[in-house]
């Protein structure tokens, strides 16, 4: 059995399913040679003229470019750059309408030619046989070459996929579309250059066999190719195939020549076949041997609205309107149409300013009679004619239903993307259904959905990768912390002694801080008192006493009260001193300062004598058995103490009077001690009657004496009788008597306060019973002095009383010793 290569060499051909035979109309444009290109007023060059992504722009507005200069750059094989077709100035970089079925706009570089057609440096590789295939492929990519007969697949990417796996190289020269003759005239006029391009491809992919597939309706092209092939030493086969549309399709021509079918969603390289278009082969020769990038191509200008229907070289970016103008274009009035491509696979553009691109092989401008306009779509009659002519073995009717219903899953189940959009189904449809339009719309929607899914999938993968990375970092941190803890534990086990010393030092510091906090919160005296109180309570609890001993706590409380009163008295004294200084500056009050001091001293002595009398009265009310043993001694000591106290009080009064006389006005007369002592009781009585405030002060003084006496009694811890007390300390005598009867200090203090209040009341009563004759002589002066007595005098009186009480307590202690 002969191999596939031998069968092809012997002229064996196969056939594909379906196909049609529409009118060709090729003789309208293939009778003359290819016309030279024209230089338009402006060139509009889209940045994307192929399948793939755009390149990075290398020029900006205002730049001057040369012919063949790259306008974009890229380093990936799926993207090819675009080049300047001629020299000129970049006047704009903006969106313009491009040659696409959607009629949308895309980014374009607008160049205004300067008419000089100045070329930049050319990079040619005449000794290409010494170059490795990879370098040649990269050179082809940099020259911007893409498929020129179909969708514009990047040539370098296709060659890369065919390296070391291509058995049959097929050059597609079928050109089955009606009206189109660009490849036919190119083969007739440039057959030698096409064969040179085939030689370059053979050097790159190294196939076992190279075949030119051409339809039998191009006899002139076949003859020109055979002559060119015979002049070279290459094994190139020219295979003539029957004319049938769409035999120029990639998969259909491969099946005709090799008998193999390309699997769905696969490339021809998967079955060992590589296919290139005639125009692409010519561009490869110009790029490698001449160093010219793809900047122009042959375009068929046909249609009965033109005066001259012929093929012409066109610079890429030339507006179609300028090409048509050179061929006498006269638009149809009722139905003007400009079709890019043939009548089967072409599409209508919105206006004539659409530029020529790398895939523009024909511009068709027919009349209404030449190509009738599309009629109104009717319902499908299920004739199955579309399925009979489909070269891809599809079910066009089912696909149209699902596409119309937007059931894209079903569309993919019925292999929608295997459709080559040849238009054979729509050509034979009796219901005038534009099936190809439904398929194109469905394909666009599916591509958009797939792009969204891919974006979502990439986002999901990135999220999962981030989540995994964070989890991994977390585990690494935990492991790191665990190892660090183990190291610390081992170090602690090794340094047990040092840890014990450290812990002991920490405990000492804590204890020191606690002691400092306790000492700062509680004063030493208070802390000692609290400790003594707690000790006594503990002793009482051990002794079985029901009532705890609160004497220490009472002493502490009284001490705090006393300190508070002293602070208050000091503040009052300062305030009173400031007031007295301000009063001393006035002439009206200077003469009364001495009298105020004398009055205060007299009041203090009178209250002391009244308190002593009241104490004597209380002592007389005690049981006779308690007073009989000490009556005589108490009376003697009381008299002595009274005389001593009176002498001290008189001395203090005289000193204050002399000081007041020195500070007072020169007219003021100093008061003598005799006057002061003789009127002390009267003045005190007048003060009590005139101002209730003075009575309250006197009562407070008495209470202070009583509390002081109680404290002295508790400190001595020995019962004191009335005989041991001076006559001025009546409250002390009562407190001592109560201690002798085992009463608590709290009870003694309460009794002392009650007696002090009673003494104050008795003093007030005695002052009311004083004869009027005693007070009549100084009534006016006393009233005036009482009104002027302020808080300073009360504070002075209280201080004098406290001094007397302390002195009496000291005397009592000396008597005991």
């Amino acid at each position: 059995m002969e191999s596939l290569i031998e069968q092809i060499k012997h002229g064996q051909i196969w056939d594909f399913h379906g196909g049609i035979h529409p009118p060709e109309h090729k003789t309208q444009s293939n009778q003359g040679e290819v016309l030279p290109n024209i230089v338009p007023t402006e060139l509009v060059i889209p940045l994307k003229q192929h399948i793939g992504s755009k390149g990075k722009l290398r020029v900006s507005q205002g730049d001057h470019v040369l012919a063949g200069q790259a306008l974009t750059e890229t380093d990936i094989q799926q993207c090819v750059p675009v080049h300047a077709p001629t020299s000129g100035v970049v006047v704009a970089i903006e969106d313009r309408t491009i040659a696409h079925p959607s009629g949308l706009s895309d980014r374009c570089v607008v160049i205004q030619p300067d008419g000089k057609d100045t070329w930049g440096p050319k990079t040619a590789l005449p000794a290409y046989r010494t170059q490795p295939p990879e370098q040649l492929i990269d050179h082809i990519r940099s020259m911007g070459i893409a498929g020129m007969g179909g969708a514009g697949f990047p040539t370098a990417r296709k060659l890369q996929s065919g390296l070391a796996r291509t058995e049959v190289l097929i050059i597609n020269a079928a050109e089955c579309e009606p009206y189109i003759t660009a490849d036919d005239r190119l083969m007739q006029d440039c057959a030698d250059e096409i064969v040179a391009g085939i030689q370059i491809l053979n050097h790159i992919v190294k196939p076992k066999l190279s075949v030119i597939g051409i339809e039998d309706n191009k006899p002139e092209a076949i003859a020109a190719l055979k002559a060119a092939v015979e002049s070279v030493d290459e094994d190139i086969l020219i295979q003539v195939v029957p004319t049938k549309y769409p035999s120029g399709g990639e998969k259909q021509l491969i099946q005709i020549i090799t008998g193999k079918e390309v699997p769905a969603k696969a490339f021809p390289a998967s079955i060992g076949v590589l296919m290139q278009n005639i125009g692409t082969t010519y561009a490869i020769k110009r790029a490698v041997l001449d160093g010219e990038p793809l900047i122009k191509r042959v375009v068929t200008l046909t249609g009965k609205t033109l005066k001259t229907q012929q093929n012409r070289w066109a610079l890429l970016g030339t507006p179609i309107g300028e090409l048509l103008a050179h061929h006498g274009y006269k638009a149809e009035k009722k139905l003007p149409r400009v079709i890019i491509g043939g009548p089967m696979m072409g599409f209508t553009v919105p206006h004539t300013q659409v530029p020529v691109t790398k895939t523009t092989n024909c511009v068709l401008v027919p009349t209404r009679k030449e190509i009738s306009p599309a009629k109104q779509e009717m319902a499908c009659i299920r004739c199955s004619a579309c399925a009979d002519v489909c070269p891809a073995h599809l079910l066009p009717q089912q696909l149209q239903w699902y596409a119309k219903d937007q059931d894209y899953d079903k569309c993919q189940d019925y292999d929608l993307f295997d459709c080559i959009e040849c238009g054979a189904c729509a050509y034979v449809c009796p219901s005038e259904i534009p099936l190809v339009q439904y398929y194109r719309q469905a394909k666009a929607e599916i591509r958009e959905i797939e792009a969204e899914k891919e974006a979502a999938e990439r986002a999901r993968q990135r999220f999962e990768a981030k989540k995994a990375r964070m989890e991994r970092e977390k585990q690494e941190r935990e492991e790191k912390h665990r190892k660090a803890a183990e190291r610390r534990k081992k170090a602690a086990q090794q340094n047990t002694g040092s840890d014990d010393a450290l812990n002991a030092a920490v405990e000492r510091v804590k204890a020191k801080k606690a002691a400092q906090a306790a000492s700062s919160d509680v004063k030493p005296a208070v802390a000692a008192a609290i400790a003594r109180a707690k000790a006594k309570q503990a002793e009482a609890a051990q002794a079985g006493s029901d009532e705890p001993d609160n004497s220490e706590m009472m002493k502490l409380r009284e001490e705090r009260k006393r300190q508070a009163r002293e602070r208050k008295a000091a503040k009052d004294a300062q305030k009173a001193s400031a007031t007295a200084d301000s009063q001393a500056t006035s002439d009206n009050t200077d003469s009364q300062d001495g009298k105020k001091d004398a009055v205060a001293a007299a009041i203090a002595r009178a209250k002391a004598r009244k308190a002593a009398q009241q104490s004597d009265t209380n002592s007389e009310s005690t049981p006779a058995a308690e007073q009989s043993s000490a009556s005589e001694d108490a009376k003697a000591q009381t008299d002595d103490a009274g005389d001593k106290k009176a002498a001290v009080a008189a001395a203090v009064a005289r000193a204050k009077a002399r000081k007041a006389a020195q500070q007072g006005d020169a007219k003021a007369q100093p008061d003598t001690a005799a006057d002061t002592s003789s009127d002390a009781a009267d003045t005190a009585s007048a003060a009590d009657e005139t101002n209730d405030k003075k009575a309250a002060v006197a009562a407070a003084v008495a209470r202070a004496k009583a509390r002081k006496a109680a404290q002295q009694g508790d400190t001595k811890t020995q019962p004191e009788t009335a005989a041991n007390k001076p006559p001025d300390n009546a409250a002390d005598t009562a407190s001592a008597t109560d201690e002798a009867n085992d009463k608590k200090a709290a009870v003694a203090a309460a009794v002392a306060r009650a007696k002090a209040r009673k003494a104050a009341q008795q003093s007030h009563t005695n002052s009311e019973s004083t004869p009027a004759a005693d007070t009549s002589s100084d009534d006016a002066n006393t009233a005036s002095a009482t009104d002027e007595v302020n808080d300073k005098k009360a504070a002075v009186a209280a201080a004098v009383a406290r001094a007397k009480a302390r002195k009496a307590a000291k005397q009592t202690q000396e008597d005991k010793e």
Side-chain angles (χ1 to χ4, degrees):
M1 184 178 180
E2 293 181 350
S3 64
L4 177 61
I5 302 298
E6 293 176 349
Q7 292 180 23
I8 296 173
K9 287 182 178 181
H10 291 165
Q12 175 70 37
I13 60 173
W14 289 263
D15 195 6
F16 62 89
H17 176 269
I20 57 175
H21 295 82
E24 297 181 359
H25 298 284
K26 290 182 180 290
T27 58
Q28 298 177 196
S29 59
N30 67 351
Q31 299 304 313
E33 295 181 356
V34 180
L35 299 175
N37 63 275
I38 63 172
V39 180
T41 57
E42 67 175 11
L43 294 168
V44 181
I45 304 166
L47 299 183
K48 181 180 177 182
Q49 303 180 29
H50 57 276
I51 292 178
S53 57
K54 298 178 184 178
K56 183 180 179 182
L57 194 63
R58 295 182 59 180
V59 296
S60 58
Q61 185 175 352
D63 291 351
H64 185 274
V65 295
L66 301 175
Q69 180 179 338
L71 303 179
T72 61
E73 62 181 356
T74 181
D75 57 354
I76 58 175
Q77 293 181 349
Q78 194 65 22
C79 178
V80 294
V82 294
H83 300 76
T86 186
S87 60
V89 179
V90 178
V91 295
I93 300 175
E94 58 188 11
D95 290 346
R96 295 284 187 94
T97 305
I98 61 173
H100 192 270
S102 64
L104 299 177
S105 300
D106 199 0
R107 183 67 68 181
C108 300
V109 177
V110 182
I111 298 177
Q112 184 177 0
D114 57 7
K116 298 179 180 179
D117 195 28
T118 305
W119 275 82
K122 296 181 180 180
T123 305
L125 300 174
Y128 67 88
R129 295 184 185 276
T130 62
Q131 302 292 331
E134 290 79 7
Q135 186 173 350
L136 291 174
I137 291 174
D138 188 66
H139 179 73
I140 291 171
R141 179 192 60 76
S142 65
M143 290 296 174
I145 300 176
M148 300 174 66
F153 196 86
T155 303
R157 181 70 183 87
K158 185 180 287 188
L159 293 175
Q160 186 71 32
S161 65
L163 286 177
R165 57 191 300 189
T166 301
E167 295 181 356
V168 179
L169 173 64
I170 299 177
I171 306 301
N172 188 350
E175 199 174 35
C176 59
E177 182 89 9
Y179 285 95
I180 304 176
T181 60
D183 290 347
D184 185 7
R185 285 310 314 183
L186 183 64
M187 288 185 287
Q188 293 182 42
D189 296 348
C190 304
D192 293 336
E193 292 184 90
I194 291 173
V195 172
I198 295 174
Q199 291 178 321
I200 296 172
L201 292 175
N202 286 338
H203 174 72
I204 293 175
V205 297
K206 296 179 173 56
K208 296 179 181 179
L209 179 65
S210 296
V211 180
I212 300 176
I214 185 171
E215 287 185 333
D216 56 8
N217 61 353
K218 304 176 181 63
E220 294 84 359
I222 294 172
L225 289 174
K226 285 183 177 179
V229 169
E230 290 176 356
S231 64
V232 297
D233 186 15
E234 289 283 347
D235 188 10
I236 300 174
L237 176 65
I238 298 175
Q239 187 71 280
V240 180
V241 300
T243 300
K244 184 173 73 171
Y245 181 83
S247 60
E250 183 180 52
K251 293 182 178 180
Q252 285 69 38
L253 187 58
I254 290 173
Q255 189 173 358
I256 291 173
I257 294 177
T258 64
K260 294 181 178 181
E261 294 187 18
V262 180
K265 300 180 181 179
F267 294 107
S270 62
I271 60 172
V273 178
L274 179 66
M275 179 174 286
Q276 292 292 346
N277 180 263
I278 279 289
T280 306
T281 306
Y282 174 82
I284 291 174
K285 182 266 174 185
R286 300 292 295 184
V288 175
L289 298 181
D290 300 324
E292 294 181 5
L294 180 56
I295 58 174
K296 64 180 181 179
R297 67 157 299 147
V298 178
V299 178
T300 301
L301 298 170
T302 185
K304 292 185 178 181
T305 59
L306 297 175
K307 289 183 178 182
T308 304
Q309 302 181 45
Q310 199 170 352
N311 290 280
R312 176 182 287 275
W313 287 100
L315 297 177
L316 301 183
T318 302
I320 292 175
E322 295 199 30
L323 292 177
L324 297 176
H326 279 76
H327 288 255
Y329 171 62
K330 187 176 181 181
E332 182 83 13
K333 294 181 179 179
K334 293 184 179 180
L335 185 64
R337 289 176 293 175
V338 178
I339 301 172
I340 300 295
M344 302 300 293
M345 300 182 67
F347 55 90
T348 303
V349 294
H351 52 77
T352 60
Q353 295 304 313
V354 175
V356 174
T357 62
K358 297 176 182 180
T359 58
T360 305
N361 55 2
C362 178
V363 178
L364 175 62
V365 283
T367 62
R368 294 183 62 190
K369 292 181 180 180
E370 190 175 8
I371 298 177
S372 61
K375 298 180 181 179
Q376 186 176 2
E377 178 182 346
M378 295 178 289
C380 177
I381 62 174
R382 302 184 181 180
C383 63
S384 74
C386 56
D388 294 339
V389 300
C390 180
H393 297 279
L394 300 178
L395 297 176
Q397 176 191 4
Q398 299 295 110
L399 288 173
Q400 187 261 342
W401 284 347
Y402 294 132
K404 192 173 182 179
D405 194 42
Q406 297 182 353
D407 190 351
Y408 300 129
D409 292 337
K410 282 290 186 180
C411 288
Q412 290 182 304
D413 292 342
Y414 279 81
D415 301 323
L416 173 64
F417 284 91
D418 286 347
C419 174
I420 62 175
E421 302 178 16
C422 64
C425 55
Y427 180 80
V428 300
C429 181
S431 299
E432 300 290 339
I433 300 174
L435 296 171
V436 178
Q437 295 184 14
Y438 283 107
Y439 304 154
R440 287 175 177 171
Q441 179 67 22
K443 285 181 179 180
E445 294 290 340
I446 292 174
R447 289 190 183 101
E448 185 175 356
I449 293 173
E450 292 295 330
E452 292 177 356
K453 288 182 178 179
E454 290 178 2
E457 179 65 19
R458 287 195 298 269
R460 185 189 64 81
Q461 292 177 358
R462 289 196 303 269
F463 173 75
E464 291 181 354
K466 178 182 178 182
K467 186 177 180 181
R469 176 175 55 80
M470 294 177 66
E471 184 66 24
R472 184 173 62 255
E473 291 176 354
K474 180 181 178 182
Q475 293 178 359
E476 291 176 357
R477 287 195 302 270
E478 291 178 352
E479 181 66 18
K480 182 179 179 180
H481 294 165
R482 186 185 63 80
K483 291 181 179 179
E486 291 180 356
R487 288 195 299 268
R488 289 194 298 269
K489 186 176 180 181
K490 291 180 180 179
Q493 293 176 356
Q494 295 175 359
N495 302 325
T496 306
S498 60
D499 288 345
D500 293 341
L502 181 61
N503 294 333
V506 171
E507 292 298 331
R508 287 195 299 274
V509 171
K510 289 182 178 179
K512 185 176 181 180
K513 288 183 178 179
Q516 291 177 355
S519 63
S520 61
D521 295 338
V522 183
K523 294 182 179 181
V526 176
I530 292 173
R532 289 196 299 272
K534 289 183 178 180
K536 288 187 177 182
Q537 289 178 358
E539 292 177 359
Q542 292 178 1
S545 175
D546 295 335
E547 183 177 1
D549 186 3
N550 294 327
S551 59
E552 292 293 336
M553 295 302 294
M554 291 178 65
K555 290 178 182 178
L556 181 60
R557 190 181 300 112
E558 293 299 331
E559 179 63 20
R560 286 199 297 268
K561 290 181 179 180
R562 183 186 65 77
Q563 293 176 359
R565 285 194 298 273
E566 288 179 355
R567 289 193 295 269
K568 184 176 181 182
K571 291 181 180 180
D572 292 341
Q574 292 177 359
K575 184 177 179 181
S577 177
T579 304
D581 292 340
S582 62
Q583 290 178 355
T585 59
S586 62
D587 297 335
N588 296 330
T589 59
D590 289 341
S591 61
Q592 296 179 3
D593 291 337
K595 290 184 178 181
K596 290 178 182 179
D597 294 336
V599 170
I603 289 172
R605 289 196 298 274
K607 289 183 178 180
R609 285 197 295 272
K610 289 182 182 295
Q613 292 175 3
Q614 183 65 31
S615 176
D616 293 339
T617 305
N618 293 335
S619 63
E620 290 176 359
S621 62
T622 55
E626 294 177 0
Q627 295 182 359
S628 59
S629 61
S631 60
E632 305 250 350
D633 294 336
K635 183 176 181 181
Q637 293 178 1
T638 300
D639 293 338
D640 295 338
D643 294 339
K644 187 179 293 184
K645 302 308 176 184
V648 172
V652 172
R654 286 193 297 272
K656 289 183 178 180
R658 284 194 297 272
K659 186 175 181 181
Q662 293 174 1
Q663 295 178 355
D665 189 76
K667 295 180 179 181
Q669 299 295 332
D671 296 333
T672 60
D675 295 336
T676 303
S677 60
S678 62
D679 295 333
D682 297 337
T683 303
S685 177
D688 292 334
E689 292 176 354
T690 305
N691 194 349
D692 293 338
K693 183 177 179 181
K694 304 309 174 201
V697 172
V701 171
R703 287 196 297 273
K705 291 180 180 181
R707 284 194 292 271
K708 183 67 175 178
Q711 292 175 1
Q712 293 291 340
D714 290 337
T715 306
K716 305 304 179 180
T717 64
Q718 293 181 0
E720 297 179 358
T721 60
N724 300 118
K725 299 285 184 179
D728 290 337
N729 294 334
D732 295 340
T733 305
S735 178
T737 304
D738 292 336
E739 285 183 9
N741 296 328
D742 295 332
K743 290 185 178 180
K744 301 301 178 182
V747 177
V751 171
R753 286 195 297 272
K755 288 184 179 182
R757 286 194 294 272
K758 186 174 180 181
Q761 294 175 2
Q762 184 65 29
S763 174
H764 185 67
T765 303
N766 293 336
S767 65
E768 289 180 352
S769 62
T770 304
D774 295 336
T775 60
S776 60
S777 61
D778 298 323
D779 185 49
N781 295 333
T782 304
S784 177
T786 304
D787 293 337
E788 295 176 356
V789 172
N790 50 21
D791 295 339
K792 179 178 180 182
K793 305 309 174 184
V796 171
V800 171
R802 287 195 295 272
K804 291 181 179 180
R806 287 195 292 271
K807 190 171 183 179
K810 184 176 180 180
Q811 186 63 34
T812 303
Q813 181 65 23
E814 292 177 355
D815 294 341
K816 287 182 179 181
E817 292 176 355

